[in-house]
């Protein structure tokens, strides 16, 4: 009897004090509702109809075109592939053995030395004409065609004043210049100009005058070992001091 009473006391819920809410229902709703807390059932979705099979478009390409594309691809591959060295050497020899190319190379081998020789002759025409007088007619004809001129080379170191004189004549202010110019070279040289300076007793210049070859009556060229002699009358204006001496100098203007 006592055991049965104790079991009932254990099974009975404990009394809730006044002022305290009974939260048993909040935490254990399933104790009274067996469907409470059950998961929602998802809606049933009907299955999709099977998709139709997909067909790819087929291009009708002729077999000849396909073969041509294959040949073009093969040629491109051949072009990208370097040829062996002996093949390249054979190709180079074949190119150089062409008749028109060999003729062109032979023509250039002849023309280039001739052009170089012509350039040398034109550049050295004056010394060649001076050292070889027999070439002067041919060089003159060449210059007539090319628009150049032939002049004697200038060599002032080989032209000297061999003798000179400056004398006063009877008339006041009248003088006569005597001059002898010699070419010491073994070839033709151009005739230089003459600078005449009159000096006083202190060797100070009083007046200076330049004479070109034509004014002295000299030829434009002096032959090998040639000598020219001439005189020139001069009129000298009144000077602050009397003339006591003179100096001469040859030069190319």
């Amino acid at each position: 009897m006592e055991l049965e009473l104790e079991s009932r006391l254990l099974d009975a819920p404990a009394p809730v004090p006044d002022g305290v809410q009974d939260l048993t229902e909040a935490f254990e709703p399933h104790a009274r509702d067996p469907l409470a807390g059950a998961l929602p059932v998802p809606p049933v979705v009907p299955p999709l109809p099977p998709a139709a099979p997909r067909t790819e478009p087929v291009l009708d390409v002729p077999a000849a075109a396909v073969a041509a594309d294959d040949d073009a691809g093969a040629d491109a591959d051949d072009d990208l592939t370097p040829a062996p060295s002996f093949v390249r050497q054979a190709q180079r020899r074949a190119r150089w053995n062409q008749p028109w190319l060999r003729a062109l190379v032979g023509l250039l081998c002849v023309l280039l030395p001739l052009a170089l020789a012509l350039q040398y002759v034109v550049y050295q025409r004056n010394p060649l004409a001076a050292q070889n007088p027999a070439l002067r007619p041919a060089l003159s004809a060449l210059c007539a065609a090319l628009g150049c001129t032939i002049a004697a080379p200038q060599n002032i170191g080989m032209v000297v004043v061999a003798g000179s004189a400056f004398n006063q004549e009877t008339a006041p202010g009248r003088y006569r210049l005597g001059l002898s110019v010699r070419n010491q070279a073994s070839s033709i040289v151009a005739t230089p100009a003459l600078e005449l300076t009159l000096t006083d007793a202190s060797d100070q210049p009083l007046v200076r005058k330049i004479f070109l070859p034509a004014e002295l009556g000299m030829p434009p060229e002096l032959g090998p070992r040639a000598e020219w002699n001439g005189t020139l009358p001069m009129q000298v204006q009144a000077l602050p001091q009397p003339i006591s001496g003179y100096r001469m100098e040859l030069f190319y203007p």
Side-chain angles (χ1 to χ4, degrees):
M1 186 67 179
E2 291 179 358
L3 293 176
E4 182 180 356
L5 180 58
E6 289 178 1
S7 62
R8 289 181 181 179
L9 290 175
L10 293 175
D11 294 338
V16 179
D18 294 339
V20 179
Q21 184 181 0
D22 188 3
L23 298 180
T24 304
E25 296 180 358
F27 286 97
E28 297 179 356
H30 58 277
R32 291 176 294 273
D33 189 359
L35 299 179
L39 296 176
V41 179
V44 178
V45 179
L48 296 176
R54 183 177 179 181
T55 59
E56 297 292 339
V58 179
L59 297 178
D60 188 9
V61 180
V66 176
D69 291 341
D70 294 340
D71 294 340
D75 294 340
D77 294 338
D78 294 340
D79 294 339
L80 295 177
T81 303
S85 59
F86 67 90
V87 174
R88 293 196 298 270
Q89 293 176 1
Q91 291 174 351
R92 284 195 295 268
R93 285 195 298 268
R95 284 195 297 269
W96 282 104
N97 287 331
Q98 296 181 10
W100 67 270
L101 187 57
R102 295 174 65 87
L104 179 60
V105 172
L107 183 61
L108 291 177
C109 291
V110 175
L111 293 180
L112 289 179
L114 291 178
L116 183 61
L118 178 62
Q119 183 179 4
Y120 174 80
V121 169
V122 172
Y123 183 75
Q124 298 290 336
R125 62 186 183 277
N126 294 332
L128 289 175
Q131 297 172 4
N132 302 279
L135 297 178
R136 193 178 185 92
L139 294 175
S140 299
L142 179 62
C143 281
L146 298 179
C148 59
T149 57
I150 295 179
Q154 298 179 355
N155 191 354
I156 194 64
M158 300 304 294
V159 183
V160 297
V161 176
S164 64
F166 187 77
N167 300 318
Q168 185 176 8
E169 296 183 346
T170 56
R174 299 289 299 181
Y175 295 84
R176 181 169 292 275
L177 174 65
L179 184 63
S180 176
V181 179
R182 179 184 302 142
N183 175 22
Q184 297 178 339
S186 59
S187 59
I188 299 174
V189 296
T191 303
L194 174 68
E195 181 185 75
L196 175 63
T197 303
L198 304 179
T199 61
D200 59 8
S202 301
D203 199 25
Q204 297 298 318
L206 296 174
V207 64
R208 182 179 289 110
K209 175 69 175 178
I210 293 178
F211 297 94
L212 296 177
E215 296 174 338
L216 295 174
M218 300 176 66
E221 300 174 354
L222 295 175
R225 312 292 182 183
E227 183 175 338
W228 177 87
N229 299 286
T231 59
L232 178 67
M234 298 178 56
Q235 177 68 38
V236 180
Q237 301 295 332
L239 299 175
Q241 295 183 17
I243 299 174
S244 299
Y246 66 94
R247 293 195 297 267
M248 291 183 177
E249 183 179 359
L250 299 175
F251 70 100
Y252 288 109

